[in-house]
Amino acid sequence: MLAAERQRQILEKVRRHGTVRTTDLAKGFSVTEETIRRDLDLLGRRGHLRRTHGGAMNATAPLGELSQQEREERQLDEKQAIAREAVRLLLPGETVLLDASTTALEFASNLPEGLPLRVVTYSLAVVERLATRDEDIELVQLGGMYEQRGRRFSGIITENSLRSLRIDRFIFSGGGLHPTLGVSEPNPEQARLKRMMLEHCTWRCALLDHTKFGVKTDYFFAAPNELEVIVTDRESRAYAKSHLKEQPYDLRFAR
């Protein structure tokens, strides 16, 4: 296959799926990963896609935040693996705050039966996911102004409700992870809210799949030295080995 035809097909995959992985493309086209990296670099320089660690994303997608439904469809396998690893960190009787990320939604789905917890969230999706659980989970919904696109609440009512609660662990995600600047969000209101939540809790854990590593979005809310743990998938190992040496947090890889 000519390089131009391969690159055309790569662009079709990016536009259809939103993101692609270098390893998957190399297997699909029966070429080396280095060949695919050259293709992606060329397409990135021409503005047809945006390069990410381990692959690329659609350049025609808005730089702003995706809707809840759009986010749920991306990297689902990785999010589920990350969630299964992260729930191992919990202890009985804790109060756990979940953000409105789709990775936190998978975390909620993987909470083990019989582990008594109080789960606090401002995500309607998380509330719906946990609403049928038995008495082992005490579910607390933070109210506020409802945002339909993100299926979540925010604003002064949300913040005041949070201040009245003790939070043991804050489980959250973000739009990107920079080695020195930390975790960021494309949405300024979400970044401000998560910053407040970060300061209110005693233990913080970021759930980030490999597509977030090395990515900078506009609003940073969590510095590296403010995190206790980052849980990620195995695809992040190469980036972590090169860029995340001697970090102050514990880096855990999903099994």
Side-chain angles (χ1 to χ4, degrees):
M1 180 185 294
L2 295 177
E5 175 59 19
R6 184 177 61 247
Q7 291 159 13
R8 184 189 67 79
Q9 292 187 29
I10 289 173
L11 277 178
E12 287 182 355
K13 291 178 181 293
V14 171
R15 289 165 182 165
R16 186 182 312 118
H17 301 292
T19 61
V20 291
R21 297 182 187 176
T22 302
T23 53
D24 293 340
L25 292 174
K27 291 177 182 177
F29 289 106
S30 300
V31 296
T32 65
E33 292 185 20
E34 185 57 35
T35 296
I36 295 298
R37 291 191 190 97
R38 287 196 296 268
D39 289 338
L40 296 179
D41 288 342
L42 175 64
L43 294 170
R45 288 195 300 271
R46 292 177 176 176
H48 297 309
L49 51 76
R50 298 188 194 116
R51 288 289 270 120
T52 62
H53 173 67
M57 65 181 293
N58 189 357
T60 64
L63 285 173
E65 188 180 27
L66 299 173
S67 70
Q68 171 82 11
Q69 182 176 358
E70 290 170 324
R71 289 183 288 121
E72 283 187 28
E73 296 170 353
R74 298 193 173 199
Q75 279 72 53
L76 180 58
D77 291 342
E78 290 89 342
K79 292 173 183 176
Q80 291 174 338
I82 290 169
R84 289 191 295 270
E85 179 65 27
V87 297
R88 296 161 55 89
L89 301 171
L90 299 179
L91 296 174
E94 291 184 319
T95 297
V96 181
L97 172 62
L98 301 184
D99 74 352
S101 66
T102 54
T103 314
L105 178 61
E106 293 306 319
F107 178 91
S109 300
N110 281 274
L111 289 174
E113 297 285 347
L115 180 66
L117 295 169
R118 172 186 287 171
V119 176
V120 180
T121 187
Y122 58 101
S123 164
L124 182 59
V126 169
V127 170
E128 292 174 346
R129 194 68 60 93
L130 294 176
T132 58
R133 287 292 296 267
D134 292 332
E135 295 179 358
D136 56 341
I137 291 182
E138 178 185 348
L139 186 58
V140 179
Q141 168 72 68
L142 299 175
M145 297 294 294
Y146 181 63
E147 179 197 335
Q148 185 173 7
R149 182 173 175 80
R151 303 194 70 218
R152 62 198 174 201
F153 297 88
S154 62
I156 190 170
I157 298 175
T158 311
E159 296 168 13
N160 288 340
S161 298
L162 177 68
R163 290 189 181 99
S164 67
L165 298 169
R166 184 197 83 246
I167 302 297
D168 297 311
R169 298 181 188 263
F170 181 28
I171 309 293
F172 64 94
S173 190
L177 172 69
H178 186 271
T180 58
L181 298 176
V183 186
S184 59
E185 272 284 343
N187 182 306
E189 175 61 24
Q190 282 298 298
R192 189 184 68 82
L193 180 60
K194 291 185 184 184
R195 178 67 212 170
M196 178 228 170
M197 292 176 167
L198 198 82
E199 294 172 351
H200 186 68
C201 68
T202 57
W203 187 94
R204 309 151 190 93
C205 175
L207 311 181
L208 301 165
D209 69 70
H210 68 278
T211 65
K212 309 293 182 64
F213 280 57
V215 174
K216 291 189 295 183
T217 53
D218 291 333
Y219 304 96
F220 289 90
F221 65 91
N225 63 1
E226 295 177 308
L227 304 174
E228 275 69 40
V229 182
I230 290 179
V231 183
T232 185
D233 57 80
R234 296 178 181 179
E235 294 291 329
S236 303
R237 287 187 183 275
Y239 182 90
K241 185 176 181 180
S242 300
H243 298 87
L244 301 180
K245 298 177 182 178
E246 300 180 1
Q247 289 295 334
Y249 47 77
D250 179 22
L251 188 61
R252 299 177 65 116
F253 296 94
R255 302 178 182 182

